[in-house]
Amino acid sequence: MTITVRFFASIRERLGKSEDHVAFQGIGTAADVWQRSAGIPAPANTLVAINQEYASLDSPVRDGDEVAFFPPVTGGSVAPVDPRARS
Amino acid sequence: MTITVRFFASIRERLGKSEDHVAFQGIGTAADVWQRSAGIPAPANTLVAINQEYASLDSPVRDGDEVAFFPPVTGGSVAPVDPRARS
Amino acid sequence: MSVRLAGEAFDPWGEIQSFQSGHPKLAGKFGATAVFVGTMRDFNEGAAVEAMVLEHYESMTRREIEKICAQAVSRWEILDVLVVHRHGPLAPNDPIVLVAVWSAHRDAAFAACRFVIDELKTRAPFWKQEQTGAGQRWVAPE
Amino acid sequence: MSVRLAGEAFDPWGEIQSFQSGHPKLAGKFGATAVFVGTMRDFNEGAAVEAMVLEHYESMTRREIEKICAQAVSRWEILDVLVVHRHGPLAPNDPIVLVAVWSAHRDAAFAACRFVIDELKTRAPFWKQEQTGAGQRWVAPE
């Protein structure tokens, strides 16, 4: 049995893959999935979703789950913050 | 020389006229214009405009001015206040 | 900045499309458009409303709305503002007022749009008279 | 309540017209429509932006936007809500997102519209990559 792993945006680019499949054996949490598939430390602010619901690296993973890793989201409109309001 | 007087909405209906012209002689303020043309006490909350700018019953009137009297305005959309929020 | 007083029914979404087409310099500059449309309902204060007449003080109305728009422009960093306000006889579901604001930024667009509609309601010289089954009545202010 | 993910350019004003035509039960019931449209600018962070790709997590995106809309419906007295969000390659001046809220009342329409766009920006799994003269860059979150 396997876990489906998905990577998006800058994380996808850095790892050079958008999807992976890892064996469930030895997997307890999303952090284990990351370690198994990525092999490098997770970037700060990495977001996690399990079966399309927000979760965390500590969240338990069950056999057959889809586990996704991605950077902070940037949808909606472009740059709505007034740059003059920044330091 | 004369003052043009205009009445709107419920005030127009109550007085039975939308426009009037009164002699400037003896007119000092918008209150004088009201008294001369309407002949009854101004309803509470009557709004006044002189030459299409908001003014008050105390405001001075000059010869040739257009003086308008109307009730509180009700433009925009209909009934935006939730009736359940009322007592 | 554009203010239009409409004596006939108008389509607010078509007004926005036309305005944007007529202002090609806006293209690529605005990140945010905030819009409010006020529409005539078929009920109010517990009664079915069959028709409405929106009286206004024509020579003052435009001037007052333009002042409100100018205040919005001076207060927030906005690129353009469009107001269309209906007058005369209206039927239920007719749009009454459209306020559209273009800005580079979301906060300014929302704040200015809200300001314009709120000021309009207290300052623009319009008066609503509703026709219900029980006769005509002037709508009371909020 | 309607959520649409658009892989091609869309006209937000035409989307609203179609939605209202397709929901005749709304007619006469809503006094207020509040709308936000986010549009791609041709500048950002001091650089000219020539093109953009909006990546998303398709199976999660719709679910997350529907959750946001359901929260808005439960929090405010609103009649309907429409969200259209673009994905894929975009050009400057392309609309990115439309949020439209129908309500009997102005306050609820504005508040719910603002809530949906704010939540969308922090929760919906979209990522922007800009193409500038200096190459591609991922847009940083606010």
Side-chain angles (χ1 to χ4, degrees):
Chain A
M1 299 293 282
T2 59
I3 303 296
T4 299
V5 195
R6 303 191 63 180
F7 303 105
F8 291 93
S10 55
I11 290 180
R12 170 182 57 71
E13 281 194 342
R14 187 156 162 197
L15 296 179
K17 58 185 170 187
S18 61
E19 189 165 333
D20 197 4
H21 298 271
V22 299
F24 177 62
Q25 200 176 13
I27 295 290
T29 66
D32 297 334
V33 176
W34 171 273
Q35 183 54 37
R36 180 87 58 88
S37 180
I40 56 167
N45 303 323
T46 294
L47 297 177
V48 179
I50 299 176
N51 298 330
Q52 300 87 44
E53 301 267 358
Y54 277 107
S56 71
L57 286 167
D58 295 336
S59 299
V61 170
R62 287 175 301 187
D63 200 4
D65 281 354
E66 176 172 299
V67 182
F69 300 95
F70 45 81
V73 304
T74 54
S77 54
V78 170
V81 175
D82 186 343
R84 297 180 313 184
R86 300 189 180 179
S87 59
Chain B
M1 299 292 281
T2 60
I3 303 294
T4 299
V5 195
R6 304 192 63 179
F7 301 107
F8 291 93
S10 55
I11 291 180
R12 169 182 58 70
E13 280 194 342
R14 186 158 165 195
L15 298 178
K17 57 185 171 188
S18 62
E19 191 164 331
D20 198 3
H21 297 272
V22 301
F24 178 61
Q25 201 177 15
I27 294 290
T29 66
D32 297 333
V33 176
W34 171 273
Q35 183 53 38
R36 181 85 59 86
S37 180
I40 58 167
N45 302 324
T46 295
L47 298 177
V48 180
I50 300 177
N51 298 329
Q52 299 88 46
E53 301 266 358
Y54 277 106
S56 71
L57 287 166
D58 296 335
S59 299
V61 170
R62 287 174 300 185
D63 200 3
D65 280 356
E66 174 172 299
V67 183
F69 300 97
F70 44 82
V73 305
T74 53
S77 53
V78 170
V81 175
D82 187 341
R84 298 181 311 184
R86 299 187 182 183
S87 59
Chain C
M1 186 170 112
S2 173
V3 174
R4 187 163 94 75
L5 302 174
E8 307 280 329
F10 70 96
D11 166 18
W13 319 113
E15 296 272 346
I16 296 172
Q17 285 169 324
S18 301
F19 187 86
Q20 290 195 167
S21 306
H23 291 72
K25 285 184 180 173
L26 279 176
K29 303 307 168 208
F30 62 97
T33 311
V35 175
F36 178 80
V37 176
T39 303
M40 184 179 160
R41 299 191 326 205
D42 58 11
F43 63 99
N44 189 22
E45 304 271 326
V49 178
E50 295 153 11
M52 188 170 76
V53 175
L54 197 44
E55 182 174 338
H56 76 133
Y57 183 2
E58 189 164 356
S59 54
M60 182 171 173
T61 309
R62 171 177 297 279
R63 184 183 294 206
E64 200 62 23
I65 297 176
E66 287 175 347
K67 267 193 221 167
I68 294 167
C69 292
Q71 286 175 351
V73 167
S74 71
R75 231 186 252 201
W76 290 279
E77 194 200 357
I78 62 182
L79 295 164
D80 220 325
V81 54
L82 165 67
V83 175
V84 181
H85 205 301
R86 182 76 182 277
H87 59 90
L90 281 86
N93 205 37
D94 278 2
I96 300 171
V97 59
L98 160 69
V99 176
V101 174
W102 287 265
S103 172
H105 306 291
R106 183 162 94 249
D107 282 340
F110 267 111
C113 184
R114 182 71 203 238
F115 171 83
V116 171
I117 185 66
D118 285 354
E119 291 293 302
L120 254 172
K121 291 192 68 70
T122 55
R123 292 167 50 183
F126 287 98
W127 302 276
K128 295 196 183 87
Q129 189 178 50
E130 291 175 345
Q131 178 72 51
T132 73
Q136 294 180 337
R137 63 180 183 191
W138 290 99
V139 174
E142 286 178 47
Chain D
M1 188 171 112
S2 172
V3 173
R4 186 164 94 74
L5 302 175
E8 306 282 329
F10 71 96
D11 168 18
W13 320 112
E15 297 272 345
I16 295 172
Q17 286 169 325
S18 302
F19 187 85
Q20 289 196 168
S21 306
H23 291 73
K25 285 184 180 173
L26 279 175
K29 302 307 165 207
F30 62 96
T33 312
V35 176
F36 178 80
V37 176
T39 302
M40 187 180 157
R41 299 191 327 204
D42 58 11
F43 63 97
N44 189 22
E45 304 270 325
V49 178
E50 294 152 13
M52 188 168 77
V53 175
L54 197 43
E55 182 174 336
H56 76 134
Y57 182 3
E58 189 163 356
S59 55
M60 182 173 175
T61 309
R62 170 177 298 277
R63 182 184 295 207
E64 199 63 23
I65 297 177
E66 286 174 347
K67 268 194 221 168
I68 294 167
C69 292
Q71 287 175 352
V73 167
S74 71
R75 233 187 250 201
W76 290 279
E77 195 201 354
I78 62 182
L79 296 164
D80 220 325
V81 54
L82 166 66
V83 174
V84 181
H85 205 301
R86 181 77 182 277
H87 60 89
L90 281 86
N93 205 38
D94 278 1
I96 301 171
V97 60
L98 160 69
V99 177
V101 174
W102 288 264
S103 174
H105 306 293
R106 184 162 94 251
D107 282 341
F110 268 111
C113 183
R114 182 71 203 238
F115 171 82
V116 171
I117 184 67
D118 285 354
E119 290 293 303
L120 253 173
K121 289 192 69 69
T122 55
R123 291 167 50 184
F126 287 98
W127 303 275
K128 295 195 184 88
Q129 188 177 51
E130 291 175 345
Q131 177 73 51
T132 73
Q136 294 179 338
R137 61 181 184 191
W138 290 99
V139 174
E142 289 179 44

PDB file of all heavy atoms in Angstrom, chain D residues 1 8 13-15 17 24 28 39 55-56 64 74 86 90 104 106 110 116 119-120 127 134 141:
ATOM      1  N   MET D   1     -25.015  29.317  -4.161  1.00  0.00           N
ATOM      2  CA  MET D   1     -23.575  29.368  -3.936  1.00  0.00           C
ATOM      3  C   MET D   1     -22.876  28.679  -5.093  1.00  0.00           C
ATOM      4  O   MET D   1     -23.181  27.536  -5.406  1.00  0.00           O
ATOM      5  CB  MET D   1     -23.259  28.644  -2.629  1.00  0.00           C
ATOM      6  CG  MET D   1     -21.832  28.773  -2.183  1.00  0.00           C
ATOM      7  SD  MET D   1     -21.651  28.106  -0.508  1.00  0.00           S
ATOM      8  CE  MET D   1     -20.640  26.669  -0.821  1.00  0.00           C
ATOM      9  N   GLU D   8      -9.364  29.728 -18.465  1.00  0.00           N
ATOM     10  CA  GLU D   8      -9.244  30.721 -19.536  1.00  0.00           C
ATOM     11  C   GLU D   8      -9.654  32.085 -18.988  1.00  0.00           C
ATOM     12  O   GLU D   8     -10.308  32.174 -17.956  1.00  0.00           O
ATOM     13  CB  GLU D   8     -10.206  30.369 -20.684  1.00  0.00           C
ATOM     14  CG  GLU D   8     -10.063  28.974 -21.235  1.00  0.00           C
ATOM     15  CD  GLU D   8      -8.873  28.852 -22.177  1.00  0.00           C
ATOM     16  OE1 GLU D   8      -8.560  29.861 -22.842  1.00  0.00           O
ATOM     17  OE2 GLU D   8      -8.267  27.770 -22.229  1.00  0.00           O
ATOM     18  N   TRP D  13     -17.913  40.822 -15.145  1.00  0.00           N
ATOM     19  CA  TRP D  13     -19.224  41.489 -15.187  1.00  0.00           C
ATOM     20  C   TRP D  13     -20.221  40.617 -15.936  1.00  0.00           C
ATOM     21  O   TRP D  13     -21.400  40.540 -15.567  1.00  0.00           O
ATOM     22  CB  TRP D  13     -19.054  42.880 -15.781  1.00  0.00           C
ATOM     23  CG  TRP D  13     -17.803  43.514 -15.263  1.00  0.00           C
ATOM     24  CD1 TRP D  13     -16.668  43.802 -15.952  1.00  0.00           C
ATOM     25  CD2 TRP D  13     -17.513  43.858 -13.881  1.00  0.00           C
ATOM     26  NE1 TRP D  13     -15.695  44.299 -15.112  1.00  0.00           N
ATOM     27  CE2 TRP D  13     -16.184  44.351 -13.845  1.00  0.00           C
ATOM     28  CE3 TRP D  13     -18.241  43.788 -12.694  1.00  0.00           C
ATOM     29  CZ2 TRP D  13     -15.579  44.785 -12.655  1.00  0.00           C
ATOM     30  CZ3 TRP D  13     -17.640  44.211 -11.520  1.00  0.00           C
ATOM     31  CH2 TRP D  13     -16.336  44.697 -11.502  1.00  0.00           C
ATOM     32  N   GLY D  14     -19.725  39.946 -16.995  1.00  0.00           N
ATOM     33  CA  GLY D  14     -20.579  38.994 -17.701  1.00  0.00           C
ATOM     34  C   GLY D  14     -20.925  37.793 -16.824  1.00  0.00           C
ATOM     35  O   GLY D  14     -22.028  37.256 -16.892  1.00  0.00           O
ATOM     36  N   GLU D  15     -19.975  37.377 -15.965  1.00  0.00           N
ATOM     37  CA  GLU D  15     -20.252  36.257 -15.045  1.00  0.00           C
ATOM     38  C   GLU D  15     -21.396  36.619 -14.098  1.00  0.00           C
ATOM     39  O   GLU D  15     -22.266  35.796 -13.803  1.00  0.00           O
ATOM     40  CB  GLU D  15     -19.009  35.926 -14.204  1.00  0.00           C
ATOM     41  CG  GLU D  15     -17.809  35.443 -14.984  1.00  0.00           C
ATOM     42  CD  GLU D  15     -17.799  33.928 -15.211  1.00  0.00           C
ATOM     43  OE1 GLU D  15     -18.562  33.215 -14.533  1.00  0.00           O
ATOM     44  OE2 GLU D  15     -17.037  33.482 -16.080  1.00  0.00           O
ATOM     45  N   GLN D  17     -23.767  38.906 -14.625  1.00  0.00           N
ATOM     46  CA  GLN D  17     -25.016  38.968 -15.406  1.00  0.00           C
ATOM     47  C   GLN D  17     -25.590  37.567 -15.611  1.00  0.00           C
ATOM     48  O   GLN D  17     -26.786  37.347 -15.425  1.00  0.00           O
ATOM     49  CB  GLN D  17     -24.751  39.629 -16.770  1.00  0.00           C
ATOM     50  CG  GLN D  17     -24.556  41.138 -16.689  1.00  0.00           C
ATOM     51  CD  GLN D  17     -24.031  41.734 -17.988  1.00  0.00           C
ATOM     52  OE1 GLN D  17     -23.237  41.114 -18.686  1.00  0.00           O
ATOM     53  NE2 GLN D  17     -24.467  42.946 -18.302  1.00  0.00           N
ATOM     54  N   PRO D  24     -33.335  33.373 -11.056  1.00  0.00           N
ATOM     55  CA  PRO D  24     -34.478  34.307 -11.050  1.00  0.00           C
ATOM     56  C   PRO D  24     -35.116  34.466  -9.671  1.00  0.00           C
ATOM     57  O   PRO D  24     -35.764  35.480  -9.409  1.00  0.00           O
ATOM     58  CB  PRO D  24     -35.455  33.679 -12.048  1.00  0.00           C
ATOM     59  CG  PRO D  24     -35.034  32.250 -12.168  1.00  0.00           C
ATOM     60  CD  PRO D  24     -33.556  32.233 -11.939  1.00  0.00           C
ATOM     61  N   GLY D  28     -35.748  40.825  -6.878  1.00  0.00           N
ATOM     62  CA  GLY D  28     -36.636  41.494  -5.945  1.00  0.00           C
ATOM     63  C   GLY D  28     -36.304  41.238  -4.491  1.00  0.00           C
ATOM     64  O   GLY D  28     -36.816  41.919  -3.612  1.00  0.00           O
ATOM     65  N   THR D  39      -7.459  41.970 -10.260  1.00  0.00           N
ATOM     66  CA  THR D  39      -7.014  41.971 -11.657  1.00  0.00           C
ATOM     67  C   THR D  39      -5.492  41.970 -11.700  1.00  0.00           C
ATOM     68  O   THR D  39      -4.841  42.564 -10.843  1.00  0.00           O
ATOM     69  CB  THR D  39      -7.563  43.227 -12.354  1.00  0.00           C
ATOM     70  OG1 THR D  39      -8.984  43.221 -12.243  1.00  0.00           O
ATOM     71  CG2 THR D  39      -7.178  43.270 -13.824  1.00  0.00           C
ATOM     72  N   GLU D  55      -0.440  28.693 -10.419  1.00  0.00           N
ATOM     73  CA  GLU D  55      -0.498  27.243 -10.159  1.00  0.00           C
ATOM     74  C   GLU D  55      -1.514  27.002  -9.047  1.00  0.00           C
ATOM     75  O   GLU D  55      -1.698  27.859  -8.171  1.00  0.00           O
ATOM     76  CB  GLU D  55       0.908  26.796  -9.708  1.00  0.00           C
ATOM     77  CG  GLU D  55       1.033  25.309  -9.439  1.00  0.00           C
ATOM     78  CD  GLU D  55       2.484  24.898  -9.133  1.00  0.00           C
ATOM     79  OE1 GLU D  55       3.431  25.613  -9.548  1.00  0.00           O
ATOM     80  OE2 GLU D  55       2.666  23.857  -8.466  1.00  0.00           O
ATOM     81  N   HIS D  56      -2.208  25.879  -9.066  1.00  0.00           N
ATOM     82  CA  HIS D  56      -3.081  25.572  -7.930  1.00  0.00           C
ATOM     83  C   HIS D  56      -3.186  24.065  -7.710  1.00  0.00           C
ATOM     84  O   HIS D  56      -2.717  23.265  -8.532  1.00  0.00           O
ATOM     85  CB  HIS D  56      -4.452  26.227  -8.087  1.00  0.00           C
ATOM     86  CG  HIS D  56      -5.369  25.563  -9.055  1.00  0.00           C
ATOM     87  ND1 HIS D  56      -6.688  25.315  -8.761  1.00  0.00           N
ATOM     88  CD2 HIS D  56      -5.162  25.100 -10.310  1.00  0.00           C
ATOM     89  CE1 HIS D  56      -7.255  24.739  -9.803  1.00  0.00           C
ATOM     90  NE2 HIS D  56      -6.373  24.607 -10.745  1.00  0.00           N
ATOM     91  N   GLU D  64     -11.727  24.095  -0.682  1.00  0.00           N
ATOM     92  CA  GLU D  64     -11.372  25.151   0.261  1.00  0.00           C
ATOM     93  C   GLU D  64     -12.231  26.409   0.012  1.00  0.00           C
ATOM     94  O   GLU D  64     -12.704  27.048   0.962  1.00  0.00           O
ATOM     95  CB  GLU D  64      -9.881  25.470   0.123  1.00  0.00           C
ATOM     96  CG  GLU D  64      -9.282  26.183   1.300  1.00  0.00           C
ATOM     97  CD  GLU D  64      -9.311  25.378   2.597  1.00  0.00           C
ATOM     98  OE1 GLU D  64      -9.385  24.139   2.562  1.00  0.00           O
ATOM     99  OE2 GLU D  64      -9.297  26.032   3.673  1.00  0.00           O
ATOM    100  N   SER D  74     -22.930  31.220   6.798  1.00  0.00           N
ATOM    101  CA  SER D  74     -23.352  30.961   8.177  1.00  0.00           C
ATOM    102  C   SER D  74     -23.164  32.189   9.072  1.00  0.00           C
ATOM    103  O   SER D  74     -23.844  32.342  10.074  1.00  0.00           O
ATOM    104  CB  SER D  74     -22.595  29.761   8.753  1.00  0.00           C
ATOM    105  OG  SER D  74     -21.248  30.105   8.976  1.00  0.00           O
ATOM    106  N   ARG D  86      -9.356  32.385 -11.485  1.00  0.00           N
ATOM    107  CA  ARG D  86      -8.556  31.976 -12.638  1.00  0.00           C
ATOM    108  C   ARG D  86      -7.375  31.115 -12.194  1.00  0.00           C
ATOM    109  O   ARG D  86      -6.873  31.262 -11.081  1.00  0.00           O
ATOM    110  CB  ARG D  86      -8.049  33.270 -13.304  1.00  0.00           C
ATOM    111  CG  ARG D  86      -7.225  33.098 -14.540  1.00  0.00           C
ATOM    112  CD  ARG D  86      -8.057  32.779 -15.750  1.00  0.00           C
ATOM    113  NE  ARG D  86      -7.183  32.577 -16.889  1.00  0.00           N
ATOM    114  CZ  ARG D  86      -6.681  33.546 -17.652  1.00  0.00           C
ATOM    115  NH1 ARG D  86      -7.015  34.805 -17.392  1.00  0.00           N
ATOM    116  NH2 ARG D  86      -5.892  33.268 -18.662  1.00  0.00           N
ATOM    117  N   LEU D  90      -1.576  33.818 -17.264  1.00  0.00           N
ATOM    118  CA  LEU D  90      -2.355  35.060 -17.325  1.00  0.00           C
ATOM    119  C   LEU D  90      -1.522  36.170 -17.957  1.00  0.00           C
ATOM    120  O   LEU D  90      -0.292  36.168 -17.855  1.00  0.00           O
ATOM    121  CB  LEU D  90      -2.739  35.535 -15.920  1.00  0.00           C
ATOM    122  CG  LEU D  90      -3.912  34.873 -15.216  1.00  0.00           C
ATOM    123  CD1 LEU D  90      -3.445  33.628 -14.490  1.00  0.00           C
ATOM    124  CD2 LEU D  90      -4.538  35.830 -14.212  1.00  0.00           C
ATOM    125  N   ALA D 104     -30.016  41.085   1.345  1.00  0.00           N
ATOM    126  CA  ALA D 104     -31.055  42.097   1.495  1.00  0.00           C
ATOM    127  C   ALA D 104     -30.450  43.395   2.011  1.00  0.00           C
ATOM    128  O   ALA D 104     -31.016  44.475   1.812  1.00  0.00           O
ATOM    129  CB  ALA D 104     -32.141  41.593   2.439  1.00  0.00           C
ATOM    130  N   ARG D 106     -26.980  46.029   3.062  1.00  0.00           N
ATOM    131  CA  ARG D 106     -25.673  46.518   2.642  1.00  0.00           C
ATOM    132  C   ARG D 106     -24.540  46.020   3.538  1.00  0.00           C
ATOM    133  O   ARG D 106     -23.497  45.588   3.046  1.00  0.00           O
ATOM    134  CB  ARG D 106     -25.718  48.047   2.662  1.00  0.00           C
ATOM    135  CG  ARG D 106     -24.504  48.730   2.186  1.00  0.00           C
ATOM    136  CD  ARG D 106     -24.844  50.170   1.840  1.00  0.00           C
ATOM    137  NE  ARG D 106     -24.622  51.128   2.911  1.00  0.00           N
ATOM    138  CZ  ARG D 106     -25.579  51.757   3.594  1.00  0.00           C
ATOM    139  NH1 ARG D 106     -26.838  51.508   3.350  1.00  0.00           N
ATOM    140  NH2 ARG D 106     -25.282  52.635   4.512  1.00  0.00           N
ATOM    141  N   PHE D 110     -21.245  43.792   2.163  1.00  0.00           N
ATOM    142  CA  PHE D 110     -19.856  44.255   2.228  1.00  0.00           C
ATOM    143  C   PHE D 110     -19.016  43.340   3.112  1.00  0.00           C
ATOM    144  O   PHE D 110     -17.904  42.948   2.745  1.00  0.00           O
ATOM    145  CB  PHE D 110     -19.790  45.682   2.794  1.00  0.00           C
ATOM    146  CG  PHE D 110     -19.826  46.768   1.753  1.00  0.00           C
ATOM    147  CD1 PHE D 110     -20.923  47.599   1.631  1.00  0.00           C
ATOM    148  CD2 PHE D 110     -18.747  46.967   0.901  1.00  0.00           C
ATOM    149  CE1 PHE D 110     -20.957  48.611   0.676  1.00  0.00           C
ATOM    150  CE2 PHE D 110     -18.765  47.974  -0.041  1.00  0.00           C
ATOM    151  CZ  PHE D 110     -19.872  48.803  -0.161  1.00  0.00           C
ATOM    152  N   VAL D 116     -14.691  36.827   2.284  1.00  0.00           N
ATOM    153  CA  VAL D 116     -14.366  35.781   1.298  1.00  0.00           C
ATOM    154  C   VAL D 116     -13.036  36.086   0.605  1.00  0.00           C
ATOM    155  O   VAL D 116     -12.180  35.207   0.484  1.00  0.00           O
ATOM    156  CB  VAL D 116     -15.500  35.607   0.267  1.00  0.00           C
ATOM    157  CG1 VAL D 116     -15.061  34.689  -0.874  1.00  0.00           C
ATOM    158  CG2 VAL D 116     -16.742  35.025   0.945  1.00  0.00           C
ATOM    159  N   GLU D 119     -10.111  35.588   3.140  1.00  0.00           N
ATOM    160  CA  GLU D 119      -9.852  34.175   3.447  1.00  0.00           C
ATOM    161  C   GLU D 119      -9.224  33.460   2.249  1.00  0.00           C
ATOM    162  O   GLU D 119      -8.313  32.640   2.403  1.00  0.00           O
ATOM    163  CB  GLU D 119     -11.155  33.477   3.846  1.00  0.00           C
ATOM    164  CG  GLU D 119     -11.695  33.920   5.191  1.00  0.00           C
ATOM    165  CD  GLU D 119     -10.805  33.492   6.338  1.00  0.00           C
ATOM    166  OE1 GLU D 119     -10.558  32.287   6.477  1.00  0.00           O
ATOM    167  OE2 GLU D 119     -10.343  34.377   7.094  1.00  0.00           O
ATOM    168  N   LEU D 120      -9.758  33.772   1.051  1.00  0.00           N
ATOM    169  CA  LEU D 120      -9.222  33.192  -0.176  1.00  0.00           C
ATOM    170  C   LEU D 120      -7.706  33.386  -0.254  1.00  0.00           C
ATOM    171  O   LEU D 120      -6.965  32.474  -0.626  1.00  0.00           O
ATOM    172  CB  LEU D 120      -9.831  33.927  -1.368  1.00  0.00           C
ATOM    173  CG  LEU D 120     -10.879  33.209  -2.188  1.00  0.00           C
ATOM    174  CD1 LEU D 120     -11.477  34.164  -3.196  1.00  0.00           C
ATOM    175  CD2 LEU D 120     -10.230  32.030  -2.892  1.00  0.00           C
ATOM    176  N   TRP D 127      -0.639  29.626  -6.227  1.00  0.00           N
ATOM    177  CA  TRP D 127       0.707  30.232  -6.143  1.00  0.00           C
ATOM    178  C   TRP D 127       0.989  30.965  -7.434  1.00  0.00           C
ATOM    179  O   TRP D 127       0.845  30.407  -8.529  1.00  0.00           O
ATOM    180  CB  TRP D 127       1.766  29.150  -5.910  1.00  0.00           C
ATOM    181  CG  TRP D 127       1.481  28.364  -4.685  1.00  0.00           C
ATOM    182  CD1 TRP D 127       1.837  28.678  -3.403  1.00  0.00           C
ATOM    183  CD2 TRP D 127       0.728  27.135  -4.608  1.00  0.00           C
ATOM    184  NE1 TRP D 127       1.356  27.722  -2.542  1.00  0.00           N
ATOM    185  CE2 TRP D 127       0.681  26.770  -3.245  1.00  0.00           C
ATOM    186  CE3 TRP D 127       0.107  26.327  -5.554  1.00  0.00           C
ATOM    187  CZ2 TRP D 127       0.015  25.618  -2.812  1.00  0.00           C
ATOM    188  CZ3 TRP D 127      -0.544  25.190  -5.133  1.00  0.00           C
ATOM    189  CH2 TRP D 127      -0.582  24.841  -3.761  1.00  0.00           C
ATOM    190  N   ALA D 134      13.696  40.384 -15.600  1.00  0.00           N
ATOM    191  CA  ALA D 134      14.808  39.723 -14.909  1.00  0.00           C
ATOM    192  C   ALA D 134      14.579  38.221 -14.728  1.00  0.00           C
ATOM    193  O   ALA D 134      15.342  37.561 -14.036  1.00  0.00           O
ATOM    194  CB  ALA D 134      15.029  40.389 -13.551  1.00  0.00           C
ATOM    195  N   PRO D 141       4.032  35.796  -0.219  1.00  0.00           N
ATOM    196  CA  PRO D 141       2.742  36.146   0.397  1.00  0.00           C
ATOM    197  C   PRO D 141       2.857  37.490   1.115  1.00  0.00           C
ATOM    198  O   PRO D 141       3.952  37.940   1.423  1.00  0.00           O
ATOM    199  CB  PRO D 141       2.503  35.012   1.391  1.00  0.00           C
ATOM    200  CG  PRO D 141       3.859  34.443   1.665  1.00  0.00           C
ATOM    201  CD  PRO D 141       4.682  34.648   0.435  1.00  0.00           C
TER     202      PRO D 141
END
